[in-house]
Amino acid sequence: MSTITIPYFTALATYFSYLLLFIFGGVRDIFRFFCKSDKGTPEDCFNRPIASAPDAWIDVIERYSNDNNKTLFQTGKISRCLNLGSYNYLGFASVDEYCTPQVIKSLNKFSPSTCSSRVDGGTTVLHNELETLIASFVGKPAALVYGMGFATNSTTLPALIGKGGLIISDHLNHRSIIAGSQASGSKVNIFQHNTPSHLEDVLRKAIAEGQPRTHRPWKKIIVVVEGIYSMEGELCKLPEIVALCKKYKAYTYLDEAHSIGAVGKSGRGLCELLGVDPADIDIMMGTFTKSFGSCGGYIAGSKDLIKCLKSVSPGHLYATSMTPPGVQQVISALKVILGEDGSNRGAQKLARIRENSNFFRAELQKMGCQVLGDQDSPVMPIMLYNPAKISAFSRECFKRNIAVVTVGSPATDFLLSRARICISASHTKEDLLRALEVISEVGDMVDIKYFPTGHQRGWRYGRYQIFSN
């Protein structure tokens, strides 16, 4: 189990800050009819309107408020900001010399939408081409494309398992996996984040005890994990988990939303990076919203699995199919990655995202920031902890034309507020150096350089290790 190390004073100050929020929030609610203003809310740090493609630099519309951010109005002015928030890992979300002309052609031929589900009039020749291409890319016999990434998980899991089945899910799995697990009607057990030893304990106990009350054997057991955990930046310990699933005859469900296209020598995801045979993964899920600059998602697996999903998955039967220009965008991006566009730009993008990610992570750590995640991961959370630092960090970066995403409770654990940085192949070295300069300046201002000397000492509390400098 990975452990997050928290300075003792920082943990104490964070608890105290939340206590103050609760106290003053309660007082404000009691006297709200007598108070006409408060200190303001952090609403200006979220839902910022964007007026450009999510490239390395984006146009952000400035806003103002006359009532402490309860209501926000657009000024009409635009700030040109370095984009550290979008998961445009390979840079395909902006205008591309190969992809964009192909997308425009598909728009002229097919229109913006199919206006139908896949089983009615929503399957075009592009959808069939993409399913063949993505299945081959990830090393599976067949694939099924969905119109929405979230719905890929939330409508596939209920189609795979139901009453009498058991889902064993990582503690930090994405909300779409949680929604799909809950909707399935199956029993859901949780194992400690990315901890194979605890997964084995859960598997052994579940198999020994069987179903609740009846103690009958489980009809099916599915272990669900992510390739890269989107709020942690950590790589799944896939080889160990696959070995356990084989040992206990459980199915493996791998969500590669943030890893497909972003890691691996040829962009084929975590299996390629860690040397796992795709044949050992029963259900491979991914989205097209990150590395491919489009929308939708896919499930890849055996031909029997895909045939079954086409008959029972609500996301396939009832939802509007993926837009044809969106499908074409993914097809074109895959061809660039594979070098089928006649260039080596795909290989260059894959090399650049690795270089950019590892350089940026190393430099953040050198300056004393606490950065979560693993090498090669383009997702790198910078720990903020104190809730007041969520808005402070976001606002100060924005003032300096750096756009960042900040996250706090309930999206993260109570103590673990953070800024989630996403690196792109479209970032230049100059972009990254500018970002590091601003983060260092703001980091000093809001005091988030928790490890200036790298000296750590303390005691553990759950996933946290609280220490004194």
Side-chain angles (χ1 to χ4, degrees):
M1 179 178 66
S2 58
T3 301
I4 298 174
T5 305
I6 309 175
Y8 179 81
F9 178 77
T10 300
L12 187 64
T14 301
Y15 277 125
F16 184 69
S17 297
Y18 275 111
L19 179 62
L20 288 180
L21 285 175
F22 294 150
I23 292 173
F24 283 106
V27 171
R28 186 193 64 179
D29 288 342
I30 293 172
F31 295 101
R32 65 188 305 171
F33 295 108
F34 303 99
C35 298
K36 295 186 178 179
S37 65
D38 55 29
K39 287 188 175 181
T41 66
E43 294 302 315
D44 60 310
C45 299
F46 306 100
N47 300 313
R48 287 177 175 141
I50 309 300
S52 67
D55 204 354
W57 288 79
I58 53 175
D59 294 331
V60 183
I61 298 177
E62 296 179 6
R63 297 178 293 176
Y64 71 94
S65 176
N66 297 321
D67 54 7
N68 298 303
N69 291 332
K70 291 179 181 177
T71 308
L72 292 165
F73 302 94
Q74 297 182 12
T75 64
K77 297 180 181 179
I78 290 177
S79 289
R80 186 70 172 166
C81 294
L82 179 59
N83 181 11
L84 296 181
S86 300
Y87 25 72
N88 177 27
Y89 298 139
L90 295 183
F92 283 118
S94 58
V95 175
D96 182 84
E97 61 187 77
Y98 179 79
C99 299
T100 304
Q102 301 296 323
V103 171
I104 293 172
K105 288 180 183 178
S106 71
L107 177 63
N108 293 331
K109 181 176 182 179
F110 292 99
S111 85
S113 173
T114 63
C115 298
S116 181
S117 68
R118 288 291 305 275
V119 294
D120 296 325
T123 297
T124 68
V125 292
L126 294 178
H127 290 82
N128 291 333
E129 180 182 355
L130 176 56
E131 287 173 344
T132 300
L133 191 58
I134 194 65
S136 174
F137 184 70
V138 301
K140 283 295 185 181
L144 181 62
V145 168
Y146 290 76
M148 180 183 177
F150 189 100
T152 305
N153 276 329
S154 64
T155 67
T156 294
L157 283 167
L160 293 175
I161 192 169
K163 188 176 180 180
L166 173 65
I167 293 175
I168 302 179
S169 182
D170 188 285
H171 172 63
L172 295 182
N173 272 342
H174 191 263
R175 180 63 202 178
S176 60
I177 294 174
I178 297 172
S181 300
Q182 291 173 339
S184 70
S186 61
K187 171 71 174 174
V188 181
N189 286 347
I190 306 298
F191 71 95
Q192 293 172 358
H193 171 57
N194 217 11
T195 310
S197 60
H198 187 247
L199 171 60
E200 182 167 23
D201 292 341
V202 174
L203 277 165
R204 187 185 296 116
K205 182 178 179 181
I207 293 171
E209 295 181 353
Q211 297 183 42
R213 294 188 298 274
T214 65
H215 302 293
R216 293 176 180 172
W218 298 100
K219 295 179 179 178
K220 187 185 299 181
I221 299 176
I222 300 179
V223 175
V224 187
V225 294
E226 295 185 36
I228 293 178
Y229 290 90
S230 59
M231 280 296 171
E232 312 297 314
E234 292 177 354
L235 303 178
C236 172
K237 295 179 180 177
L238 192 60
E240 297 93 327
I241 289 172
V242 167
L244 287 174
C245 289
K246 285 184 175 182
K247 179 178 179 180
Y248 292 98
K249 296 181 172 54
Y251 294 97
T252 308
Y253 185 113
L254 175 63
D255 177 340
E256 290 221 82
H258 287 268
S259 52
I260 190 67
V263 298
K265 184 177 180 181
S266 60
R268 286 177 167 83
L270 198 65
C271 287
E272 181 180 46
L273 181 66
L274 300 183
V276 175
D277 187 346
D280 291 333
I281 310 297
D282 300 290
I283 306 105
M284 300 184 76
M285 177 270 178
T287 65
F288 303 126
T289 55
K290 282 81 178 176
S291 297
F292 306 101
S294 186
C295 58
Y298 67 87
I299 294 290
S302 67
K303 291 182 178 180
D304 287 341
L305 169 70
I306 300 305
K307 182 178 180 181
C308 173
L309 290 177
K310 286 182 178 180
S311 300
V312 298
S313 175
H316 178 77
L317 296 171
Y318 306 115
T320 301
S321 66
M322 191 174 169
T323 167
V327 176
Q328 181 61 61
Q329 167 66 26
V330 182
I331 293 172
S332 300
L334 276 168
K335 288 184 177 180
V336 173
I337 293 171
L338 294 169
E340 295 179 5
D341 64 327
S343 76
N344 66 341
R345 290 195 307 121
Q348 291 175 352
K349 284 177 177 288
L350 290 166
R352 196 176 304 120
I353 184 63
R354 287 193 296 272
E355 293 168 3
N356 285 355
S357 299
N358 293 335
F359 167 77
F360 203 76
R361 181 185 302 279
E363 292 301 311
L364 287 173
Q365 291 170 339
K366 285 179 186 177
M367 73 171 65
C369 292
Q370 185 175 11
V371 187
L372 304 187
D374 295 314
Q375 282 287 100
D376 288 353
S377 171
V379 181
M380 48 199 75
I382 302 174
M383 300 310 297
L384 303 177
Y385 297 118
N386 195 301
K389 296 181 182 182
I390 298 172
S391 55
F393 186 82
S394 177
R395 288 168 182 159
E396 293 302 324
C397 285
F398 186 60
K399 286 179 184 178
R400 294 160 177 78
N401 298 100
I402 303 291
V404 297
V405 171
T406 51
V407 187
S409 179
T412 66
D413 285 351
F414 191 70
L415 280 176
L416 306 181
S417 299
R418 65 197 66 182
R420 184 181 71 171
I421 304 298
C422 291
I423 298 300
S424 172
S426 62
H427 287 132
T428 65
K429 191 67 170 289
E430 291 72 23
D431 292 337
L432 300 181
L433 290 173
R434 171 58 182 161
L436 289 166
E437 179 184 349
V438 169
I439 290 173
S440 181
E441 180 183 349
V442 175
D444 288 330
M445 183 181 300
V446 301
D447 192 22
I448 61 167
K449 295 182 179 179
Y450 298 111
F451 302 122
T453 63
H455 183 64
Q456 302 176 24
R457 181 181 60 198
W459 51 275
R460 298 186 180 214
Y461 177 71
R463 283 190 69 237
Y464 322 134
Q465 179 176 343
I466 299 177
F467 81 101
S468 56
N469 288 318

